Amino acid sequence: MPTTTTSTDTEATAVSVVVPTCGRLDLLDRCLDALTRQTLPGPSYEIIIVDDEPNHNTLHLVAGWRARTLDRGPRLVYVSNAGPHGPAAARNRGWRIAQAPVIAFTDDDTVPSPTWLASGLAAFGDGVDALCGRIEMPLPARPTDYQRDASLLQTAEFVTANCFCRKRVLEQLDGFDERFTSPWREDSDLHFRLLEMQATIAHAPEALVVHPVRPAPWGVSVLQIRKVAFDALLYKKHPQLYRQKIRGGPRWDYYVIVAALLALLAGLAAGSKLLSTLAGAVWLTLTVRLCVRRLTGTAKTPSHVAEMVFTSALIPPLAVFWRVAGAIRYRVRFA
């Protein structure tokens, strides 16, 4: 599919917004509605939609918004990125064709506030290399474990759902590391490389992006656990910063749970009642402790409680498996 554009040349483009997307038309439509309602004058910014799983529906959606906003801007660009290759690769494709000296990143499932771009640019002084805005994730009074975990983005130091970066700095860094093929740790990697080059990173709480937590299928934590393999890549590239900002040490609780489970199975296979009883008690105690911790402060519906019981038994062995798989894949001593 071709790259399609429209432009208004009465003003220089001050900021380019890059949005990776992958077949989520309803979310992208909501995001584009917010992006085209910015208080920043339309001709002074452009929106680049990078379709990581190209299809005509996404192209037509962008074309529809372009037709509706043609008289007031902003410039809208659709880029086909035959994939999926992941958001890191999609963002690289977007910022490299951008016209503006400042790149703003967000995701297709966000709702930027009307003053997002104006507030971000106002805080982007001459000495600033990158800037982080504020993220709000509205939650119900009793969220699920998944919702509470997702809401940690609100306190994250640097996330690509709401950040600005000078294009020349991205060029120096060669953008995002495309080995991060899932939406996991690619923003931490960019952040760590900015820190290592001693870039000046500012914060602008006024630059607000609302990030509603998307509905998730039952057992979603088990489906997501494979992303842990990318922690090994992040650790290999930035061991000190990883231990300082992500996790101070290995997940020993998970390793103990897995060791107890293996000892339980070994005891059963060998017919050792003592070994299987002791190992089973350790496994059950630690698994129940994990389940209770995940249920504390979260929803107590029968479905959610059942989900926590089921996934709490599966998460430790799966997490250990993917951590070891990541260590092997990226050839790093990582636990």
Side-chain angles (χ1 to χ4, degrees):
M1 295 179 187
T3 297
T4 57
T5 68
T6 185
S7 61
T8 306
D9 299 323
T10 56
E11 295 184 27
T13 306
V15 59
S16 299
V17 183
V18 175
V19 184
T21 192
C22 192
R24 305 191 297 195
L25 293 178
D26 55 336
L27 298 177
L28 179 61
D29 186 51
R30 184 183 66 184
C31 182
L32 281 170
D33 181 54
L35 287 174
T36 57
R37 296 177 185 272
Q38 295 293 297
T39 58
L40 201 68
S44 65
Y45 71 103
E46 65 176 351
I47 304 168
I48 302 172
I49 304 299
V50 185
D51 192 355
D52 199 40
E53 195 170 293
N55 65 77
H56 288 286
N57 292 330
T58 305
L59 174 62
H60 292 159
L61 176 66
V62 176
W65 275 105
R66 185 168 52 249
R68 274 177 275 176
T69 59
L70 191 61
D71 59 334
R72 56 185 172 90
R75 178 175 181 263
L76 272 171
V77 182
Y78 171 90
V79 181
S80 172
N81 189 46
H85 299 295
R91 293 190 190 103
N92 281 342
R93 183 77 187 274
W95 72 258
R96 285 181 175 132
I97 67 166
Q99 294 186 351
V102 173
I103 312 298
F105 293 105
T106 192
D107 297 331
D108 63 358
D109 57 350
T110 66
V111 185
S113 67
T115 59
W116 175 54
L117 289 178
S119 298
L121 287 179
F124 214 96
D126 291 339
V128 175
D129 297 306
L131 178 145
C132 300
R134 177 164 56 98
I135 290 178
E136 287 186 357
M137 302 185 77
L139 294 180
R142 284 283 183 175
T144 64
D145 173 70
Y146 165 75
Q147 290 171 330
R148 184 175 62 181
D149 185 62
S151 71
L152 294 176
L153 278 178
Q154 296 178 115
T155 56
E157 197 172 345
F158 188 98
V159 290
T160 43
N162 185 358
C163 72
F164 296 69
C165 192
R166 293 197 187 277
K167 186 174 182 179
R168 59 172 173 77
V169 173
L170 289 169
E171 290 169 345
Q172 291 175 38
L173 294 172
D174 197 27
F176 293 87
D177 187 337
E178 297 184 13
R179 288 178 293 176
F180 293 92
T181 54
S182 290
W184 183 256
R185 301 304 190 204
E186 82 286 358
D187 45 5
S188 297
D189 174 63
L190 181 68
H191 180 214
F192 291 174
R193 286 188 287 140
L194 285 167
L195 293 175
E196 288 165 349
M197 72 179 292
Q198 299 183 329
T200 300
I201 304 175
H203 295 271
E206 301 82 10
L208 171 65
V209 163
V210 179
H211 197 319
V213 180
R214 300 191 310 274
W218 197 91
V220 63
S221 53
V222 171
L223 302 175
Q224 290 188 324
I225 201 70
R226 64 184 303 165
K227 294 179 182 178
V228 171
F230 292 110
D231 279 41
L233 175 57
L234 185 65
Y235 177 79
K236 181 177 182 177
K237 297 183 67 177
H238 317 279
Q240 280 191 310
L241 285 170
Y242 181 90
R243 290 304 183 199
Q244 178 185 342
K245 294 182 177 293
I246 303 295
R247 183 168 294 282
R251 286 298 307 253
W252 293 120
D253 55 339
Y254 285 2
Y255 288 103
V256 172
I257 290 174
V258 171
L261 179 59
L262 293 176
L264 169 61
L265 296 175
L268 292 174
S272 173
K273 185 175 180 180
L274 177 61
L275 177 59
S276 58
T277 300
L278 290 176
V282 172
W283 174 81
L284 182 61
T285 299
L286 294 178
T287 301
V288 169
R289 180 184 174 188
L290 173 63
C291 182
V292 169
R293 186 166 68 241
R294 297 174 68 205
L295 278 170
T296 301
T298 63
K300 301 299 190 299
T301 63
S303 175
H304 187 245
V305 171
E307 181 183 9
M308 292 301 97
V309 172
F310 176 75
T311 58
S312 293
L314 292 178
I315 284 174
L318 288 174
V320 169
F321 171 82
W322 286 111
R323 291 175 85 86
V324 172
I328 294 171
R329 179 179 179 181
Y330 299 111
R331 300 179 183 179
V332 59
R333 295 182 64 181
F334 174 70

